[in-house]
Amino acid sequence: MELGISTACLYPMQVEQALETLCKSGVKTVEIFFNAPSELHIPYLKQLKIMADIYGVHVKSLHPFTSEIE
């Protein structure tokens, strides 16, 4: 079994801050919930990927900001 935590648990913290907090806390599996269209741009996504790679964090799933209406 793989346990993880979501960036949404730290809402309203910005996604990159939430991910950094989780990474620095020793979490090894995360899911990322995006909050705005601007967070779907390639440079921003690359920044998150680099951060996860540096800390050895596995991103299990990604959820667009529209997931609340699904």
Side-chain angles (χ1 to χ4, degrees):
M1 179 187 315
E2 188 175 355
L3 298 176
I5 190 167
S6 172
T7 59
C9 291
L10 299 176
Y11 183 84
M13 192 180 282
Q14 293 180 354
V15 173
E16 69 275 11
Q17 293 172 332
L19 179 59
E20 183 176 28
T21 298
L22 295 175
C23 288
K24 287 182 175 181
S25 297
V27 173
K28 291 301 176 190
T29 303
V30 299
E31 65 175 351
I32 297 175
F33 274 80
F34 296 107
N35 300 311
S38 62
E39 296 170 344
L40 302 178
H41 294 276
I42 298 299
Y44 183 80
L45 297 173
K46 284 183 179 180
Q47 174 188 348
L48 298 179
K49 169 84 168 107
I50 289 168
M51 186 183 316
D53 287 348
I54 287 170
Y55 286 96
V57 172
H58 175 232
V59 178
K60 184 75 171 182
S61 60
L62 301 170
H63 304 276
F65 56 93
T66 59
S67 61
E68 67 187 27
I69 58 174
E70 292 177 359

Coordinates of all heavy atoms in Angstrom, one line a residue:
M1 N 0.8 -1.2 0.0 CA 0.0 0.0 0.0 C 0.9 1.2 0.0 O 1.9 1.3 0.6 CB -0.9 0.0 1.2 CG -1.8 1.2 1.3 SD -2.7 1.5 2.8 CE -3.4 0.0 3.1
E2 N 0.4 2.2 -0.7 CA 1.2 3.5 -0.8 C 0.3 4.6 -0.2 O -0.8 4.8 -0.6 CB 1.5 3.8 -2.3 CG 2.4 4.9 -2.5 CD 2.7 5.1 -4.0 OE1 2.3 4.2 -4.8 OE2 3.4 6.1 -4.3
L3 N 0.9 5.3 0.8 CA 0.2 6.4 1.5 C 0.8 7.7 1.0 O 2.0 7.8 0.8 CB 0.3 6.2 3.0 CG -0.3 5.0 3.6 CD1 -0.1 5.0 5.1 CD2 -1.8 4.9 3.3
G4 N -0.1 8.7 0.9 CA 0.4 10.0 0.5 C -0.5 11.1 1.0 O -1.4 10.8 1.8
I5 N -0.3 12.3 0.6 CA -1.0 13.4 1.1 C -1.2 14.4 -0.1 O -0.4 14.5 -1.0 CB -0.4 14.1 2.3 CG1 -1.3 15.1 2.9 CG2 1.0 14.7 1.9 CD1 -0.8 15.6 4.3
S6 N -2.3 15.1 -0.1 CA -2.6 16.1 -1.1 C -2.2 17.5 -0.8 O -2.3 17.9 0.3 CB -4.1 16.0 -1.4 OG -4.5 17.0 -2.3
T7 N -1.8 18.2 -1.8 CA -1.6 19.7 -1.7 C -2.9 20.4 -1.2 O -2.8 21.4 -0.6 CB -1.0 20.3 -2.9 OG1 -2.0 20.1 -4.0 CG2 0.3 19.7 -3.3
A8 N -4.0 19.8 -1.6 CA -5.3 20.4 -1.2 C -5.5 20.5 0.4 O -6.2 21.3 0.9 CB -6.4 19.7 -1.8
C9 N -4.8 19.6 1.1 CA -4.8 19.6 2.5 C -4.3 20.9 3.1 O -4.6 21.2 4.3 CB -4.1 18.4 3.1 SG -4.8 16.8 2.8
L10 N -3.5 21.6 2.3 CA -2.9 22.8 2.8 C -3.5 24.1 2.2 O -3.0 25.2 2.3 CB -1.4 22.8 2.6 CG -0.6 21.7 3.3 CD1 0.8 21.6 2.9 CD2 -0.8 21.8 4.8
Y11 N -4.6 23.9 1.5 CA -5.4 25.0 0.9 C -5.8 26.0 2.0 O -6.1 25.5 3.1 CB -6.6 24.5 0.2 CG -7.4 25.6 -0.5 CD1 -7.0 26.0 -1.8 CD2 -8.5 26.2 0.1 CE1 -7.7 27.0 -2.4 CE2 -9.2 27.2 -0.5 CZ -8.8 27.6 -1.8 OH -9.4 28.6 -2.4
P12 N -5.6 27.3 1.9 CA -5.4 28.1 0.7 C -4.0 28.4 0.3 O -3.7 29.3 -0.4 CB -6.2 29.3 1.0 CG -6.0 29.5 2.4 CD -6.0 28.1 3.0
M13 N -3.0 27.6 0.9 CA -1.6 27.8 0.5 C -1.5 27.6 -1.0 O -2.1 26.8 -1.6 CB -0.8 26.8 1.3 CG 0.7 27.0 1.2 SD 1.6 25.7 2.1 CE 1.4 26.3 3.8
Q14 N -0.6 28.4 -1.6 CA -0.3 28.2 -3.1 C 0.2 26.8 -3.3 O 0.9 26.3 -2.4 CB 0.6 29.3 -3.6 CG 0.0 30.7 -3.5 CD 1.0 31.7 -4.0 OE1 2.2 31.5 -4.3 NE2 0.5 32.9 -4.2
V15 N 0.0 26.3 -4.5 CA 0.3 24.9 -4.8 C 1.8 24.6 -4.6 O 2.2 23.7 -4.0 CB -0.1 24.5 -6.2 CG1 0.4 23.1 -6.5 CG2 -1.7 24.5 -6.3
E16 N 2.7 25.5 -5.1 CA 4.1 25.3 -5.0 C 4.6 25.4 -3.6 O 5.5 24.7 -3.1 CB 4.9 26.3 -5.9 CG 4.9 27.7 -5.5 CD 3.7 28.5 -6.0 OE1 2.7 27.9 -6.5 OE2 3.7 29.8 -5.9
Q17 N 3.9 26.2 -2.8 CA 4.3 26.3 -1.3 C 3.8 25.1 -0.6 O 4.5 24.5 0.3 CB 3.7 27.5 -0.7 CG 4.2 28.8 -1.2 CD 3.4 30.1 -0.7 OE1 2.3 30.0 -0.4 NE2 4.1 31.2 -0.6
A18 N 2.6 24.6 -0.9 CA 2.1 23.4 -0.3 C 3.0 22.2 -0.7 O 3.3 21.4 0.2 CB 0.7 23.1 -0.8
L19 N 3.4 22.1 -1.9 CA 4.2 21.0 -2.3 C 5.6 21.0 -1.6 O 6.1 20.0 -1.1 CB 4.5 21.0 -3.9 CG 5.4 19.9 -4.4 CD1 4.8 18.5 -4.0 CD2 5.5 20.0 -5.9
E20 N 6.2 22.2 -1.5 CA 7.4 22.4 -0.8 C 7.3 22.0 0.6 O 8.2 21.3 1.2 CB 8.0 23.8 -1.0 CG 9.3 24.0 -0.3 CD 9.9 25.4 -0.5 OE1 9.1 26.3 -0.7 OE2 11.1 25.5 -0.6
T21 N 6.2 22.4 1.3 CA 6.0 22.0 2.7 C 5.9 20.5 2.8 O 6.5 20.0 3.8 CB 4.7 22.7 3.2 OG1 4.9 24.1 3.1 CG2 4.4 22.3 4.6
L22 N 5.2 19.9 2.0 CA 5.0 18.4 2.0 C 6.4 17.7 1.8 O 6.8 16.8 2.5 CB 4.0 17.9 1.0 CG 2.6 18.4 1.3 CD1 1.6 18.0 0.2 CD2 2.1 17.9 2.7
C23 N 7.1 18.2 0.8 CA 8.4 17.6 0.5 C 9.4 17.8 1.7 O 10.0 16.8 2.1 CB 9.0 18.4 -0.7 SG 8.3 18.0 -2.3
K24 N 9.4 18.9 2.3 CA 10.3 19.2 3.4 C 9.9 18.4 4.7 O 10.7 18.2 5.6 CB 10.4 20.7 3.7 CG 11.2 21.4 2.7 CD 11.4 22.9 3.0 CE 12.3 23.6 2.0 NZ 12.4 25.0 2.3
S25 N 8.6 18.0 4.7 CA 8.1 17.2 5.8 C 8.4 15.7 5.7 O 8.1 15.0 6.6 CB 6.6 17.4 5.9 OG 6.3 18.8 6.2
G26 N 9.0 15.3 4.6 CA 9.4 13.9 4.4 C 8.3 13.1 3.7 O 8.5 11.9 3.6
V27 N 7.3 13.7 3.2 CA 6.2 13.0 2.5 C 6.9 12.4 1.2 O 7.6 13.1 0.5 CB 5.0 13.9 2.2 CG1 4.0 13.2 1.3 CG2 4.4 14.3 3.5
K28 N 6.6 11.2 0.8 CA 7.2 10.6 -0.4 C 6.2 10.4 -1.5 O 6.6 10.1 -2.6 CB 7.9 9.3 0.0 CG 9.1 9.5 0.8 CD 10.1 10.4 0.1 CE 11.3 10.7 0.9 NZ 12.1 11.7 0.3
T29 N 4.9 10.5 -1.2 CA 3.9 10.4 -2.3 C 2.8 11.5 -2.1 O 2.3 11.7 -1.0 CB 3.1 9.0 -2.2 OG1 4.1 8.0 -2.3 CG2 2.1 8.9 -3.3
V30 N 2.6 12.2 -3.2 CA 1.6 13.3 -3.1 C 0.6 13.3 -4.3 O 0.9 12.6 -5.3 CB 2.3 14.7 -3.1 CG1 3.2 14.9 -1.9 CG2 3.1 15.0 -4.4
E31 N -0.5 14.0 -4.2 CA -1.3 14.3 -5.3 C -1.4 15.8 -5.3 O -1.4 16.5 -4.3 CB -2.7 13.7 -5.2 CG -3.5 14.1 -4.1 CD -4.9 13.5 -4.1 OE1 -5.3 12.9 -5.1 OE2 -5.7 13.7 -3.1
I32 N -1.5 16.4 -6.5 CA -1.5 17.8 -6.6 C -2.8 18.3 -7.2 O -3.3 17.8 -8.2 CB -0.3 18.3 -7.6 CG1 1.0 17.9 -7.0 CG2 -0.5 19.8 -7.8 CD1 2.2 18.3 -7.9
F33 N -3.5 19.2 -6.5 CA -4.7 19.8 -6.9 C -4.4 21.2 -7.4 O -3.9 22.0 -6.6 CB -5.7 19.9 -5.7 CG -6.5 18.6 -5.6 CD1 -6.0 17.5 -5.0 CD2 -7.8 18.6 -6.1 CE1 -6.8 16.4 -4.8 CE2 -8.6 17.4 -5.9 CZ -8.0 16.3 -5.3
F34 N -4.7 21.5 -8.6 CA -4.4 22.8 -9.1 C -5.6 23.7 -8.8 O -6.8 23.2 -8.7 CB -4.2 22.8 -10.6 CG -2.9 22.0 -11.0 CD1 -3.0 20.8 -11.5 CD2 -1.7 22.6 -10.7 CE1 -1.8 20.1 -11.9 CE2 -0.5 21.9 -11.0 CZ -0.6 20.7 -11.6
N35 N -5.4 25.0 -8.7 CA -6.5 26.0 -8.3 C -6.8 27.0 -9.4 O -7.8 27.6 -9.2 CB -6.0 26.7 -7.0 CG -5.8 25.8 -5.9 OD1 -6.6 24.9 -5.6 ND2 -4.6 25.9 -5.2
A36 N -6.0 27.1 -10.4 CA -6.2 28.2 -11.4 C -5.6 27.8 -12.7 O -4.6 27.0 -12.8 CB -5.6 29.5 -10.9
P37 N -6.1 28.4 -13.8 CA -5.5 28.1 -15.1 C -4.0 28.4 -15.3 O -3.3 27.7 -15.9 CB -6.3 28.9 -16.1 CG -7.6 29.2 -15.4 CD -7.2 29.2 -13.9
S38 N -3.6 29.4 -14.6 CA -2.1 29.8 -14.6 C -1.2 28.7 -14.1 O 0.0 28.6 -14.5 CB -1.9 31.0 -13.8 OG -2.2 30.8 -12.5
E39 N -1.7 27.8 -13.3 CA -0.9 26.7 -12.8 C -0.8 25.5 -13.8 O -0.1 24.5 -13.5 CB -1.5 26.2 -11.5 CG -1.5 27.2 -10.4 CD -2.3 26.8 -9.2 OE1 -3.1 25.9 -9.2 OE2 -2.1 27.5 -8.1
L40 N -1.4 25.6 -14.9 CA -1.3 24.6 -15.9 C -0.3 24.9 -17.0 O -0.1 24.1 -18.0 CB -2.7 24.3 -16.5 CG -3.7 23.9 -15.5 CD1 -5.1 23.7 -16.3 CD2 -3.4 22.6 -14.8
H41 N 0.4 26.0 -16.9 CA 1.5 26.4 -17.9 C 2.7 25.6 -17.7 O 3.1 25.3 -16.5 CB 1.8 27.9 -17.8 CG 0.6 28.7 -18.2 ND1 0.3 29.1 -19.5 CD2 -0.4 29.3 -17.4 CE1 -0.8 29.8 -19.5 NE2 -1.2 30.0 -18.3
I42 N 3.3 25.2 -18.8 CA 4.5 24.3 -18.8 C 5.6 24.8 -17.8 O 6.1 24.0 -17.0 CB 5.0 24.1 -20.2 CG1 4.0 23.5 -21.1 CG2 6.3 23.3 -20.2 CD1 3.5 22.1 -20.6
P43 N 6.0 26.1 -17.8 CA 7.1 26.4 -16.9 C 6.8 26.2 -15.4 O 7.6 25.8 -14.6 CB 7.3 27.9 -17.2 CG 6.8 28.1 -18.6 CD 5.7 27.1 -18.7
Y44 N 5.5 26.4 -15.1 CA 5.1 26.2 -13.7 C 5.1 24.7 -13.3 O 5.6 24.3 -12.3 CB 3.7 26.8 -13.5 CG 3.2 26.7 -12.1 CD1 3.6 27.6 -11.1 CD2 2.3 25.7 -11.7 CE1 3.1 27.5 -9.8 CE2 1.8 25.6 -10.4 CZ 2.2 26.5 -9.5 OH 1.7 26.4 -8.2
L45 N 4.6 23.9 -14.3 CA 4.6 22.4 -14.1 C 6.0 21.9 -14.0 O 6.3 21.0 -13.1 CB 3.9 21.8 -15.2 CG 2.4 22.1 -15.3 CD1 1.8 21.5 -16.6 CD2 1.6 21.7 -14.1
K46 N 7.0 22.4 -14.8 CA 8.4 22.0 -14.7 C 9.0 22.4 -13.3 O 9.7 21.6 -12.8 CB 9.2 22.7 -15.8 CG 8.9 22.0 -17.2 CD 9.8 22.6 -18.2 CE 9.5 22.0 -19.6 NZ 10.4 22.6 -20.6
Q47 N 8.6 23.5 -12.8 CA 9.1 23.9 -11.5 C 8.6 22.9 -10.4 O 9.4 22.5 -9.5 CB 8.5 25.3 -11.1 CG 8.8 25.8 -9.7 CD 8.1 27.1 -9.4 OE1 7.5 27.7 -10.3 NE2 8.1 27.4 -8.2
L48 N 7.4 22.5 -10.5 CA 6.9 21.5 -9.5 C 7.6 20.1 -9.7 O 7.9 19.5 -8.7 CB 5.3 21.3 -9.7 CG 4.5 22.5 -9.4 CD1 3.0 22.2 -9.7 CD2 4.7 23.1 -8.0
K49 N 7.8 19.8 -11.0 CA 8.5 18.5 -11.2 C 9.9 18.5 -10.7 O 10.3 17.5 -10.1 CB 8.5 18.3 -12.8 CG 9.4 17.1 -13.2 CD 8.7 15.8 -13.2 CE 9.5 14.7 -13.9 NZ 10.2 13.8 -13.1
I50 N 10.6 19.6 -10.9 CA 12.0 19.7 -10.4 C 12.0 19.6 -8.9 O 12.8 18.9 -8.3 CB 12.6 21.0 -10.8 CG1 12.9 21.0 -12.3 CG2 13.9 21.3 -10.0 CD1 13.3 22.3 -13.0
M51 N 11.0 20.3 -8.2 CA 11.0 20.2 -6.7 C 10.7 18.8 -6.3 O 11.4 18.3 -5.4 CB 9.9 21.1 -6.2 CG 9.8 21.2 -4.7 SD 8.5 22.3 -4.1 CE 8.5 23.7 -5.1
A52 N 9.7 18.1 -6.9 CA 9.4 16.7 -6.5 C 10.7 15.8 -6.7 O 11.0 15.0 -5.9 CB 8.2 16.2 -7.3
D53 N 11.4 16.0 -7.8 CA 12.5 15.2 -8.1 C 13.7 15.4 -7.1 O 14.3 14.5 -6.7 CB 13.1 15.5 -9.5 CG 12.2 14.9 -10.6 OD1 11.3 14.1 -10.3 OD2 12.4 15.3 -11.8
I54 N 13.9 16.7 -6.7 CA 14.9 17.0 -5.8 C 14.7 16.3 -4.4 O 15.6 15.7 -3.8 CB 15.0 18.5 -5.5 CG1 15.6 19.2 -6.8 CG2 15.8 18.8 -4.3 CD1 15.6 20.7 -6.7
Y55 N 13.4 16.2 -4.0 CA 13.1 15.6 -2.7 C 12.8 14.1 -2.9 O 12.5 13.4 -1.9 CB 12.0 16.3 -2.1 CG 12.3 17.7 -1.5 CD1 12.2 18.8 -2.2 CD2 12.9 17.8 -0.2 CE1 12.5 20.1 -1.7 CE2 13.3 19.0 0.3 CZ 13.1 20.1 -0.5 OH 13.5 21.3 0.1
G56 N 12.8 13.6 -4.1 CA 12.4 12.2 -4.3 C 11.0 11.8 -4.0 O 10.6 10.8 -3.5
V57 N 10.1 12.8 -4.3 CA 8.7 12.6 -4.1 C 8.0 12.1 -5.4 O 8.2 12.6 -6.5 CB 8.1 14.0 -3.7 CG1 6.6 13.9 -3.6 CG2 8.6 14.4 -2.3
H58 N 7.1 11.1 -5.2 CA 6.3 10.6 -6.3 C 5.0 11.3 -6.4 O 4.3 11.3 -5.4 CB 6.1 9.1 -6.0 CG 5.3 8.4 -7.0 ND1 4.2 7.7 -6.7 CD2 5.3 8.4 -8.4 CE1 3.6 7.2 -7.8 NE2 4.2 7.7 -8.8
V59 N 4.7 11.9 -7.5 CA 3.4 12.5 -7.7 C 2.5 11.5 -8.3 O 2.6 11.1 -9.5 CB 3.5 13.8 -8.7 CG1 2.2 14.4 -8.9 CG2 4.5 14.8 -8.1
K60 N 1.6 11.0 -7.5 CA 0.7 9.9 -7.9 C -0.4 10.4 -8.8 O -0.8 9.6 -9.7 CB 0.1 9.3 -6.6 CG -0.8 8.1 -6.8 CD 0.1 6.9 -7.1 CE -0.8 5.6 -7.1 NZ 0.0 4.5 -7.3
S61 N -0.9 11.6 -8.6 CA -2.0 12.1 -9.4 C -2.1 13.6 -9.5 O -1.6 14.3 -8.6 CB -3.4 11.5 -8.9 OG -3.6 12.0 -7.6
L62 N -2.7 14.1 -10.5 CA -2.9 15.5 -10.7 C -4.4 15.8 -10.9 O -5.0 15.0 -11.6 CB -2.1 16.0 -12.0 CG -0.6 15.8 -12.0 CD1 -0.1 16.1 -13.4 CD2 0.0 16.7 -11.0
H63 N -4.9 16.8 -10.4 CA -6.3 17.2 -10.5 C -6.4 18.6 -10.9 O -5.9 19.5 -10.3 CB -7.0 17.0 -9.2 CG -6.9 15.6 -8.6 ND1 -7.7 14.5 -9.0 CD2 -6.0 15.0 -7.7 CE1 -7.3 13.4 -8.4 NE2 -6.3 13.7 -7.6
P64 N -7.1 18.8 -12.1 CA -7.3 20.2 -12.5 C -8.3 20.9 -11.6 O -9.0 20.3 -10.8 CB -7.9 20.0 -13.9 CG -8.6 18.7 -13.9 CD -7.7 17.8 -12.9
F65 N -8.2 22.3 -11.7 CA -9.1 23.1 -10.9 C -10.6 22.9 -11.1 O -11.4 23.3 -10.4 CB -8.7 24.6 -11.0 CG -8.8 25.1 -12.4 CD1 -9.9 25.6 -12.9 CD2 -7.7 24.9 -13.3 CE1 -10.0 26.1 -14.2 CE2 -7.7 25.4 -14.5 CZ -8.9 26.0 -15.0
T66 N -10.9 22.2 -12.2 CA -12.3 21.9 -12.6 C -12.8 20.7 -11.9 O -14.0 20.4 -12.0 CB -12.5 21.8 -14.1 OG1 -11.6 20.7 -14.5 CG2 -12.1 23.0 -14.9
S67 N -12.0 20.0 -11.2 CA -12.4 18.7 -10.6 C -13.5 18.9 -9.5 O -14.3 18.0 -9.3 CB -11.2 18.0 -9.9 OG -10.7 18.7 -8.9
E68 N -13.7 20.1 -9.0 CA -14.7 20.3 -8.0 C -16.1 20.2 -8.6 O -17.1 20.0 -7.9 CB -14.5 21.6 -7.3 CG -14.7 22.8 -8.2 CD -14.3 24.1 -7.6 OE1 -13.5 24.2 -6.7 OE2 -14.9 25.2 -8.0
I69 N -16.2 20.4 -10.0 CA -17.6 20.4 -10.6 C -17.8 19.1 -11.3 O -18.8 18.9 -12.0 CB -17.8 21.6 -11.5 CG1 -16.7 21.6 -12.6 CG2 -17.8 22.9 -10.8 CD1 -16.9 22.6 -13.7
E70 N -16.9 18.1 -11.2 CA -17.1 16.8 -11.9 C -18.0 16.0 -11.1 O -18.2 16.0 -10.0 CB -15.7 16.1 -12.0 CG -14.8 16.8 -13.0 CD -13.5 16.2 -13.1 OE1 -13.2 15.2 -12.4 OE2 -12.6 16.7 -13.8

